């Protein structure tokens, strides 16, 4: 194993130690005694320095032509391709996910680079007639300013890229505050941004504790926008502060995503989808399938098929070639998933398989939880309502299509959703009636592509979307411009009326 990596902050185009002396560490979730990286517990002084650097840089960056800004982002994409393998190894060590998935995480960043770079030559506004003669009307997009990007550990490359790349193309400057569990991934990513040659202060990185550095950034008067992906509890606090301080805030929070399997579905296909959706990334995606809504005519058969496949899933370190289910991110999360097993039992659910920490052989060296199927789950149970963020799927039985949709919608969240059916009428009714930001027909709940909007309804978000051209709406303001070339005062709504 390689030596531990020392992370530093990146401010004003230079790497810095924190003004504070405390350091923290990230660990390999598959081998908890291994320290992957140490990182600074940044202070308020560091926050102030980073915000000031981003504020100064904004003054000139906003005037760099958007196609030129986009070329830096394009270069980040090319550098990510060059460093893909080395970064994938690091993701697997620090975050835990299997190498194939780690490569996918980086690929999502690469896709986002090239898509966002293309936006540099669009950033379209509108022209429209004026109601007055000899007057011209148009809208242009303007950047917002200093953006604080607060990102989670589960997609340590893709999610920072989703936020940083469109923000930069739009002319904003950024401060990335990555999750405490994946500081090395964030540092390597910002090394790549640095190599792309952005002017000093345009891209900044601040490590530290969410309650300290994250909070100070969100509260800072010179931060103009906060983009946050993480838990609903933290998202509420971020939203409250931004409400009070009148900042634009984009929140991407929890999910309780469901896959419906109707009696006419291709069951093998639905099974592949369920296994990947529920247990891919060890269930640690906000898009993960945490409920399977099964029509009663196929429930017994499908449950047996699911059980068979689940039993065979191989647990192990992400960097071992045959691993299918990797470790859980940290001890706290492992504990949380375990606690949900007690809750499930108390509420009368039946644990069909899994339900416990895996300690066989080398697995005891890490944070492993066996892939788990909960049966007899009813809509009011906490395991049907709360996000668990682990390899746990709840089975719920329904007797009609209408019930299936009603149960899918019976949640405070609304990120992703899926239905397996061969009935085109049901598929279209589902597209209309499911309350979610993303609906898959005959595909699992995970696997969003970067050129389409990503985000959820209800308590998953606050009305914004990431990725696609929707991200441009997030990171720009509209400016409406009227040009009066009549040479005289023209009063709208008055001079053109009798
Ligand atoms: C997340 O879980 O926070 O759609 C993001 C997907 C991935 C992104 C997930 N492309 O599952």
């Amino acid at each position: 194993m390689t030596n531990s990596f020392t992370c530093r902050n990146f401010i004003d185009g230079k790497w810095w130690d924190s003004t504070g002396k405390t350091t923290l560490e990230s660990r390999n979730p598959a081998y908890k005694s291994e320290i992957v990286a140490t990182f600074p517990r940044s202070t308020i002084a560091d926050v102030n320095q980073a915000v000031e650097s981003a504020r100064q840089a904004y003054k000139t960056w906003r005037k760099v032509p958007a196609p030129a800004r986009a070329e830096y982002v394009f270069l980040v994409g090319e550098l990510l391709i060059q460093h893909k393998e080395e970064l994938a190894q690091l993701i697997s060590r620090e975050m835990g996910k299997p190498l194939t998935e780690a490569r996918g995480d980086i690929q999502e960043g690469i896709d986002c680079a090239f898509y966002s770079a293309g936006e540099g030559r669009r950033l379209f506004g509108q022209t429209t007639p004026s109601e007055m003669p000899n007057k011209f009307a148009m809208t242009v997009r303007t950047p917002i300013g200093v953006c604080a990007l607060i990102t989670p550990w589960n997609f340590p490359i893709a999610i920072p890229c989703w936020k940083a790349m469109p923000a930069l193309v739009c002319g904003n400057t950024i401060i990335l505050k990555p999750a405490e569990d994946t500081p090395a991934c964030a540092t390597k990513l910002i090394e790549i941004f640095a190599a792309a040659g952005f002017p000093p202060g345009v891209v900044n990185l601040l490590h530290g504790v969410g309650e300290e550095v994250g909070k100070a950034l969100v509260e800072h008067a010179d931060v103009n926008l906060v983009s946050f992906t993480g838990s609903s509890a933290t998202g509420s606090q971020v939203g409250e502060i931004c409400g009070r301080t009148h900042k634009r805030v984009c929140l991407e929070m929890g999910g309780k995503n469901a896959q419906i399997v109707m009696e006419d579905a291709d069951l093998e296909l639905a099974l592949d989808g369920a296994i990947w959706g529920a247990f891919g990334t060890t269930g640690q995606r906000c898009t993960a399938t945490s409920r399977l809504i099964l029509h009663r005519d196929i429930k017994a058969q499908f449950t047996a098929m699911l059980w068979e496949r689940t039993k065979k899933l191989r647990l192990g370190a992400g960097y071992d070639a045959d691993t299918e289910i990797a470790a859980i991110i940290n001890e706290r999360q492992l504990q949380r998933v375990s606690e949900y097993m007690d809750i499930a039992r108390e509420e009368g659910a039946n644990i069909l398989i899994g339900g416990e920490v895996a300690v066989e052989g080398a697995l005891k060296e890490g944070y492993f939880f066996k892939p788990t199927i909960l049966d007899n789950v009813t809509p009011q149970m906490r395991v049907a309502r709360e996000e668990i963020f682990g390899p746990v799927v709840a089975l719920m039985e329904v007797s009609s299509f209408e019930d299936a949709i009603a149960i899918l919608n019976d949640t405070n969240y609304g990120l992703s959703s899926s239905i397996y059916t061969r009935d085109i009428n049901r598929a279209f009714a589902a597209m209309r009636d499911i309350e979610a930001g993303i609906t898959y027909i005959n595909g699992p709940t995970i696997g969003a592509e970067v050129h389409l909007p990503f985000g959820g309804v209800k308590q998953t978000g606050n009305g914004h979307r990431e990725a696609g051209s929707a991200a441009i709406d997030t990171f720009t303001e509209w400016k409406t411009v009227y040009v009066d070339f009549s040479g005289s005062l023209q009063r709208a709504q008055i001079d053109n009326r009798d």
Side-chain angles (χ1 to χ4, degrees):
M1 279 288 153
T2 31
N3 292 331
S4 99
F5 178 86
T6 305
C7 302
R8 300 168 91 197
N9 292 333
F10 188 70
I11 301 173
D12 204 23
K14 292 185 270 304
W15 294 95
W16 301 77
D17 290 324
S18 167
T19 53
K21 293 289 160 256
T22 321
T23 56
L24 303 164
E25 39 190 53
S26 69
R27 294 196 176 237
N28 177 349
Y31 197 72
K32 52 197 170 191
S33 59
E34 183 195 336
I35 296 168
V36 176
T38 55
F39 63 101
R41 181 172 183 166
S42 303
T43 63
I44 302 294
D46 302 327
V47 172
N48 291 338
Q49 192 196 349
V51 174
E52 184 53 20
S53 127
R55 197 178 73 85
Q56 291 299 341
Y58 176 65
K59 292 179 186 170
T60 43
W61 180 245
R62 73 180 183 87
K63 294 185 191 157
V64 174
R69 293 192 302 243
E71 285 177 20
Y72 293 95
V73 171
F74 193 92
L75 186 50
V76 173
E78 293 188 314
L79 291 169
L80 281 170
I81 293 175
Q82 281 174 28
H83 293 274
K84 189 169 178 181
E85 204 44 44
E86 155 207 347
L87 257 178
Q89 297 284 343
L90 178 64
I91 296 176
S92 271
R93 262 181 85 212
E94 192 174 50
M95 180 276 164
K97 67 174 73 172
L99 272 175
T100 44
E101 295 189 29
R103 291 187 193 109
D105 193 331
I106 302 156
Q107 187 58 45
E108 211 162 330
I110 295 166
D111 295 343
C112 186
F114 297 148
Y115 180 82
S116 304
E119 283 295 338
R121 288 187 186 269
R122 285 185 288 269
L123 289 185
F124 296 134
Q126 304 108 23
T127 59
T128 182
S130 164
E131 67 185 51
M132 311 304 285
N134 296 323
K135 194 172 168 189
F136 184 86
M138 63 181 164
T139 61
V140 291
R141 292 183 181 274
T142 59
I144 294 179
V146 176
C147 301
L149 313 178
I150 304 177
T151 56
W153 45 263
N154 66 336
F155 276 82
I157 301 298
I159 294 180
C161 288
W162 286 2
K163 295 182 192 298
M165 290 169 170
L168 292 166
V169 169
C170 290
N172 303 286
T173 55
I174 62 158
I175 302 164
L176 174 65
K177 158 63 185 87
E180 289 96 306
D181 293 289
T182 48
C185 293
T187 306
K188 283 285 174 195
L189 178 66
I190 295 301
E191 279 180 10
I192 286 173
F193 274 80
F198 287 90
V202 171
V203 173
N204 302 276
L205 167 69
L206 268 185
H207 292 287
V209 176
E211 291 79 12
E212 298 166 6
V213 173
K215 187 160 181 277
L217 278 172
V218 175
E219 283 175 340
H220 202 294
D222 290 330
V223 168
N224 306 101
L225 178 151
V226 178
S227 177
F228 167 85
T229 299
S231 74
S232 296
T234 308
S236 297
Q237 293 172 18
V238 171
E240 264 177 54
I241 300 170
C242 291
R244 238 189 299 120
T245 52
H246 305 298
K247 291 189 174 78
R248 181 174 294 195
V249 57
C250 314
L251 303 172
E252 199 56 64
M253 300 169 290
K256 192 68 193 174
N257 316 295
Q259 172 184 319
I260 296 172
V261 184
M262 294 305 297
E263 77 282 12
D264 63 353
D266 175 338
L267 293 190
E268 286 293 342
L269 183 70
L271 179 65
D272 286 343
I275 293 283
W276 175 229
F279 302 135
T281 327
T282 320
Q284 301 174 113
R285 294 195 189 209
C286 51
T287 49
T289 306
S290 57
R291 297 179 293 154
L292 273 174
I293 300 173
L294 306 175
H295 191 279
R296 68 170 171 213
D297 292 355
I298 52 90
K299 170 137 188 291
Q301 187 191 350
F302 192 78
T303 304
M305 291 162 71
L306 186 69
W307 190 90
E308 274 300 322
R309 282 278 290 277
T310 305
K311 191 177 60 155
K312 295 192 191 118
L313 291 170
R314 288 184 303 266
L315 276 77
Y319 40 80
D320 290 342
D322 55 356
T323 292
E324 292 169 295
I325 305 286
I328 294 224
I329 188 70
N330 57 34
E331 179 141 36
R332 197 176 61 248
Q333 232 354 77
L334 185 71
Q335 181 70 28
R336 187 181 142 88
V337 176
S338 301
E339 280 164 19
Y340 271 106
M341 297 304 112
D342 299 332
I343 294 168
R345 276 187 211 96
E346 277 160 31
E347 289 183 320
N350 184 11
I351 300 176
L352 286 187
I353 190 167
E356 58 186 10
V357 173
V359 289
E360 294 80 6
L363 297 178
K364 65 175 164 311
E365 307 294 339
Y367 307 118
F368 289 94
F369 199 85
K370 295 184 180 170
T372 300
I373 306 173
L374 304 178
D375 198 5
N376 298 329
V377 175
T378 56
Q380 290 318 309
M381 291 182 183
R382 285 181 61 191
V383 289
R385 309 199 76 79
E386 297 173 17
E387 186 175 49
I388 299 174
F389 228 63
V392 180
V393 68
L395 307 189
M396 302 169 88
E397 182 176 314
V398 289
S399 50
S400 68
F401 171 73
E402 290 71 24
D403 279 359
I405 299 288
I407 289 195
L408 184 146
N409 286 341
D410 186 7
T411 164
N412 291 332
Y413 296 115
L415 181 55
S416 190
S417 56
S418 148
I419 181 167
Y420 282 77
T421 178
R422 288 171 162 133
D423 180 334
I424 189 83
N425 295 348
R426 279 172 168 172
F428 270 86
M431 288 181 229
R432 181 191 60 199
D433 295 337
I434 286 176
E435 296 165 0
I438 306 170
T439 294
Y440 291 90
I441 308 295
N442 293 328
T445 59
I446 67 179
E449 302 173 26
V450 302
H451 55 300
L452 289 106
F454 181 93
V457 302
K458 301 201 253 183
Q459 291 179 23
T460 289
N462 66 337
H464 293 275
R465 291 290 181 274
E466 305 210 80
S469 57
I472 301 300
D473 294 328
T474 297
F475 290 107
T476 56
E477 294 275 13
W478 281 117
K479 175 173 279 182
T480 305
V481 182
Y482 299 97
V483 183
D484 192 322
F485 54 99
S486 70
S488 56
L489 172 68
Q490 300 197 82
R491 297 176 302 173
Q493 297 93 36
I494 297 171
D495 291 339
N496 53 343
R497 296 288 158 200
D498 296 332

